[in-house]
Amino acid sequence: MEPIEPDLLQSLTDSGPSSKSPSLSYINKALPPELLLWVFDPIYIEGTQPASYHPTIKEVVERHRRHALLNVMLVCRAWHHLVMTSPRYWAAVDVGIREALGSPPKETGTPGEIATLGDGESQKRALERQLKRCGELPIQVNVGADHVDDIAAIFDLLQNQAHRWQVFNLLTQPPNDKPKAIGHSQLLDLFTRPLHCLTLLHIGACWVQPDEGDGRTTFASLQVDAPNLRALSCDQHLVIPRIPSRLRFLSIANVDLEDLRPPIDGLRVELDQLVELRITESDPGAILSAFSTPILSKLVINNEEPSYPAAESLPQYQHLKELQWYDVGPDRTFTTFLLRCPNLKVFADYVVGLEAEVPLELIEAPPTILLHIRQHKGEEGRLWPNMTEVLLDSATCTEIAELVDALPSIRRLRVLRDPIPRQWRENRMNERQLLERLRERVQIALWLEPWADDGCSNEQS
């Protein structure tokens, strides 16, 4: 992250408080720099940590528009100097992010010297300055792959600092008609060194070409030696942590295990500490079969098509408490999986947070979980005895009643689509009366309205 413009700083500080202000002078004398840094640290951390994981280039770009401590630097010249000379506040290293903002990389030197530099050389020099400025501290690296002019030079510089990576985000900016290609071996070589400091890793849907460079697209499988990795997300390409792994969060999107290079036939990965897994537009059966997750507690599946073929063998998921599985109708992998999570407490047939993307007006079929319960009539009591919260995209009051009768442990039930307008006019009065009776048994919320008790979800309590 580059410093703010000196002219901007001068104009703003001249109009704001100065270090000669009696109150500021007293504070600066009373508090040693070490204590001021202790005050600034939480502000910097809050301003540089990703708001979500996996991150998007849009989020990183928005954070890059201003330094996390810009307001602090504008208080007085003493605070500005303290921030500017503290390597810990310059440990966010960005390549291609200024270009995503529409700005060229900052360069130093005479106008004539700068004019002779190509974009690739300017980016390289800017990266060298950033790496030097933060000393030997752990770094957060954000690479806007679509805006890097010399991938080989930038990757070489970053690879030499691999021992310092704490966060590494390889980002893309969809939609992009002219993405920059990354060589297959270039991507693999970037992650060959031990990454003992790395805790967060994201590999976006970057365009990777075979080393022959014939214009085709290839999808990479990467093995990383990152024993302290906690959160991992990958789009189109698959990152495989070497064991032992401390991974807690994993997101896999748009990955076809059969298309990866090098091939991963017979893949079996032990993720003994993984607690949350998200699978988007990928075969959940193949992924669940390949990854051993004995303490998994939350699973999110977001596919717009049923998965085929069905998973042949899946283990029991005794620790799974929350399942979000986007309902696309009968799905054999979904049916198989449901029978293997007996301690489920929260179920949603859509992805929480993406409610606006559900095509509610097109849904007419009953919830697939209800179809599953009907197939096991008489066995409902032993399916999910701890189920307390159910979130549905659409259901009639009659279907809700059937579900509540089958699973009497339910305490909360949310339906995104109001069930009353779905009915013919002559049936609406009966449905409305049934809904009122159901509300005497369980809390029912429509769309995103808050729960009646305004408490936390059962899964959290």
Side-chain angles (χ1 to χ4, degrees):
M1 185 178 292
E2 296 285 346
I4 61 175
E5 299 284 358
D7 293 343
L8 172 63
L9 173 72
Q10 185 68 43
S11 63
L12 291 174
T13 51
D14 286 347
S15 61
S18 73
S19 55
K20 296 181 180 179
S21 166
S23 58
L24 281 173
S25 298
Y26 176 79
I27 293 174
N28 291 333
K29 290 179 181 178
L31 299 180
E34 295 78 9
L35 190 53
L36 281 173
L37 293 176
W38 182 79
V39 174
F40 297 162
D41 280 349
I43 305 173
Y44 178 76
I45 292 172
E46 182 179 357
T48 55
Q49 290 299 312
S52 61
Y53 215 82
H54 57 72
T56 64
I57 193 168
K58 180 180 179 181
E59 180 188 25
V60 173
V61 164
E62 287 303 315
R63 290 206 313 270
H64 194 281
R65 291 184 185 276
R66 51 181 287 140
H67 192 280
L69 292 177
L70 176 59
N71 289 341
V72 170
M73 287 190 282
L74 296 177
V75 169
C76 65
R77 292 182 178 84
W79 287 15
H80 172 259
H81 176 75
L82 182 58
V83 172
M84 292 288 285
T85 56
S86 299
R88 67 217 279 175
Y89 299 138
W90 304 98
V93 176
D94 299 315
V95 187
I97 304 302
R98 287 184 59 83
E99 292 78 358
L101 278 166
S103 303
K106 287 186 180 179
E107 192 49 75
T108 56
T110 66
E113 291 172 341
I114 295 174
T116 63
L117 297 176
D119 291 339
E121 185 63 24
S122 295
Q123 285 184 333
K124 181 181 175 182
R125 291 194 180 188
L127 176 57
E128 289 172 338
R129 287 199 309 274
Q130 292 181 77
L131 293 171
K132 181 178 180 180
R133 182 168 197 171
C134 57
E136 284 299 316
L137 295 175
I139 55 177
Q140 177 184 136
V141 181
N142 298 305
V143 180
D146 299 327
H147 300 277
V148 175
D149 291 289
D150 189 344
I151 288 286
I154 295 300
F155 276 16
D156 284 344
L157 280 173
L158 291 174
Q159 189 181 38
N160 290 333
Q161 304 296 322
H163 61 286
R164 298 169 56 195
W165 298 354
Q166 189 170 50
V167 177
F168 192 100
N169 296 317
L170 184 60
L171 303 157
T172 56
Q173 189 172 13
N176 192 338
D177 296 332
K178 297 180 180 179
K180 298 288 180 65
I182 300 174
H184 186 250
S185 61
Q186 286 179 324
L187 184 60
L188 267 59
D189 291 346
L190 182 62
F191 295 94
T192 54
R193 299 190 181 184
L195 307 172
H196 296 301
C197 189
L198 190 65
T199 59
L200 303 177
L201 173 62
H202 170 68
I203 304 296
C206 49
W207 180 27
V208 176
Q209 284 187 325
D211 295 326
E212 297 79 20
D214 58 4
R216 293 177 299 158
T217 298
T218 189
F219 305 103
S221 61
L222 313 168
Q223 292 203 12
V224 297
D225 182 8
N228 294 307
L229 191 62
R230 295 294 189 273
L232 166 64
S233 65
C234 34
D235 192 342
Q236 294 189 357
H237 313 284
L238 182 64
V239 178
I240 305 168
R242 292 176 181 164
I243 57 174
S245 171
R246 298 181 182 177
L247 197 65
R248 306 283 287 176
F249 171 89
L250 173 61
S251 173
I252 299 174
N254 304 297
V255 171
D256 188 334
L257 299 186
E258 296 181 355
D259 289 344
L260 298 175
R261 295 292 179 271
I264 53 170
D265 298 335
L267 175 68
R268 186 67 177 172
V269 182
E270 304 290 333
L271 299 177
D272 294 340
Q273 297 188 33
L274 192 74
V275 295
E276 181 174 345
L277 173 60
R278 290 177 172 261
I279 301 173
T280 303
E281 298 304 335
S282 308
D283 183 356
I287 293 172
L288 291 170
S289 298
F291 290 85
S292 174
T293 56
I295 66 168
L296 188 68
S297 64
K298 181 177 180 179
L299 175 65
V300 180
I301 307 291
N302 187 13
N303 286 350
E304 294 187 357
E305 298 291 338
S307 53
Y308 295 104
E312 295 182 358
S313 63
L314 292 175
Q316 290 287 109
Y317 292 85
Q318 298 287 348
H319 294 86
L320 194 75
K321 299 296 189 296
E322 180 176 352
L323 175 62
Q324 299 176 28
W325 197 304
Y326 187 77
D327 194 342
V328 291
D331 183 326
R332 292 178 59 190
T333 298
F334 171 67
T335 301
T336 302
F337 186 84
L338 274 178
L339 295 174
R340 286 162 172 75
C341 41
N343 297 312
L344 203 58
K345 296 180 67 176
V346 179
F347 171 79
D349 69 359
Y350 58 87
V351 177
V352 175
L354 301 180
E355 291 87 354
E357 299 180 13
V358 181
L360 296 177
E361 299 303 320
L362 302 179
I363 300 173
E364 296 297 337
T368 302
I369 189 173
L370 183 58
L371 301 179
H372 178 80
I373 291 173
R374 289 171 180 173
Q375 292 174 354
H376 294 81
K377 195 168 183 62
E379 306 175 37
E380 301 93 330
R382 66 180 184 84
L383 287 178
W384 310 289
N386 300 317
M387 182 83 79
T388 56
E389 188 170 313
V390 175
L391 313 176
L392 303 174
D393 50 19
S394 180
T396 66
C397 293
T398 301
E399 291 163 353
I400 295 172
E402 184 179 356
L403 185 63
V404 171
D405 288 339
L407 302 174
S409 59
I410 294 176
R411 295 291 175 265
R412 287 177 166 181
L413 196 146
R414 181 181 299 279
V415 185
L416 296 183
R417 184 182 181 187
D418 190 336
I420 305 301
R422 287 186 56 181
Q423 303 301 312
W424 294 105
R425 186 178 301 275
E426 59 269 20
N427 294 333
R428 289 181 183 176
M429 182 60 70
N430 292 336
E431 285 286 287
R432 189 172 286 108
Q433 292 173 351
L434 178 55
L435 181 61
E436 292 305 315
R437 291 198 298 272
L438 286 169
R439 280 183 159 148
E440 295 175 0
R441 300 172 57 187
V442 297
Q443 289 190 54
I444 296 180
L446 303 180
W447 184 235
L448 300 180
E449 65 184 19
W451 298 110
D453 60 4
D454 288 327
C456 299
S457 71
N458 286 295
E459 190 231 355
Q460 296 171 328
S461 59

